[in-house]
Structures are given as structure tokens and as C-alpha cells.
Amino acid sequence: MSSILLAATAAVPPTPEWSPKVALIISISCLVAVLLTFRIEKPKVGPKMPGLPLSVPAFVAAMAFGHVIGVAIVLGLTNIGSI
């Protein structure tokens, strides 16, 4: 079992440390995900978010999707050497 883990750790590329650039990428991707949430058919089903015309489940889903996309962008940019 430990030899499998050691083989896997050798193949993992280095990941960037937190920086304002990484935070900006994650924030922008989350904002884009929230803006895309307005395109779904029923974004207002369920309890409402205060201050936003979205429901709580739609907002949480948009934030989760934004973080997944943001992490993918950060890892991709790190892999090509831009970050």
C-alpha cells in the first residue's frame, strides 16, 4: 500500500502557494459562476439569499462550481508556468 502512495506522490506536480493572484482567479471564477446561475430555469426555488435574487441552494452550488473551475484554472496556469 505504501509503495502505491509513494509512486503517486512522485507524479503530483507542484502546486502554487496562496497569493493575491490565486485569490483573484478564484474570486473571478466564482463571480462568473454566480452570473451564470441567472441563466438556469428556476434559480429562485427555495429559501432566498438576502441581497441577491437567488436561492440559497443556487448560490451554494454556484460558489462550489466557481471554486472547482478556479482551482482548475490555477492548476492549469501553474502547469504551463504562468503562475
Side-chain angles (χ1 to χ4, degrees), residues 18-37:
W18 184 91
S19 69
K21 188 184 292 187
V22 171
L24 185 66
I25 292 171
I26 298 288
S27 298
I28 290 172
S29 63
C30 285
L31 179 65
V32 169
V34 167
L35 292 175
L36 287 175
T37 304

Side-chain angles (χ1 to χ4, degrees), residues 9-76:
T9 58
V12 175
T15 56
E17 301 246 344
W18 184 91
S19 69
K21 188 184 292 187
V22 171
L24 185 66
I25 292 171
I26 298 288
S27 298
I28 290 172
S29 63
C30 285
L31 179 65
V32 169
V34 167
L35 292 175
L36 287 175
T37 304
F38 293 118
R39 302 289 298 160
I40 63 175
E41 189 174 323
K42 296 181 182 181
K44 299 176 184 166
V45 175
K48 307 295 183 246
M49 281 291 294
L52 285 176
L54 288 175
S55 65
V56 173
F59 181 76
V60 171
M63 286 294 114
F65 182 65
H67 276 80
V68 168
I69 296 300
V71 167
I73 291 170
V74 167
L75 289 176

